[in-house]
Amino acid sequence: MHATGMRTTAALLGAAALCLAVPAQASADTGAPPKPTPFCGTDPATGLAVSATGNVPCATALQAAAAYTKVWHGSKGAPAEVRAAGATWTCRERRGDPDPYQVCADAQDNTRLVLLSS
C-alpha cells in the first residue's frame, strides 16, 4: 500500500509540474487594441492619440488617421476605406476594454496598423 501511495503522489506532482510548465494561451480577443509602437502624435480633428504597429512611419500613421477622421462620422459604424500615403487603408471602430478605439489596416499588409485611441 505504501508503494501505491508513493506512485500516486509522484503522479500528482508530475501532473502539477507539467501544468505549471505549459504557458497559458492568451485569448485572441481580449478587447484590448494591439500593442502599438510608437506613439506618433495627436489627431488634430479628434484629439485622439495616434500610434502605429509594423513598419508604419509616424508621418504615414498621421496621414491615415487624418484621412479616416474626415469620413469617420459619415460611415455610421461601417468600415471605411481611405487613401493616404500611397496606400489604401480599411478603418473601423473596435470594442476596447473599457473604451472603443479606431484602427486602420493597410489593405495590402494587415500587419501595418494605425490606431486612434483616447
Side-chain angles (χ1 to χ4, degrees), residues 14-24:
L18 180 62
C19 289
L20 293 174
V22 177

Side-chain angles (χ1 to χ4, degrees), residues 30-45:
T30 60
K35 298 268 187 251
T37 53
F39 169 72
C40 294
T42 304
D43 175 63

Side-chain angles (χ1 to χ4, degrees), residues 39-60:
F39 169 72
C40 294
T42 304
D43 175 63
T46 61
L48 295 174
V50 177
S51 52
T53 65
N55 61 349
V56 179
C58 279
T60 299

Side-chain angles (χ1 to χ4, degrees), residues 72-79 92-93:
W72 173 7
H73 294 294
S75 66
K76 298 185 182 188
R92 64 176 46 114
E93 182 174 289

Side-chain angles (χ1 to χ4, degrees), residues 1-2 7 16 22 24 27 32 36 48 55 62 88 97-98 102 106 118:
M1 284 194 350
H2 183 67
R7 279 191 291 247
V22 177
S27 170
L48 295 174
N55 61 349
L62 291 167
T88 300
D97 184 16
Q102 310 299 319
D106 185 330
S118 56

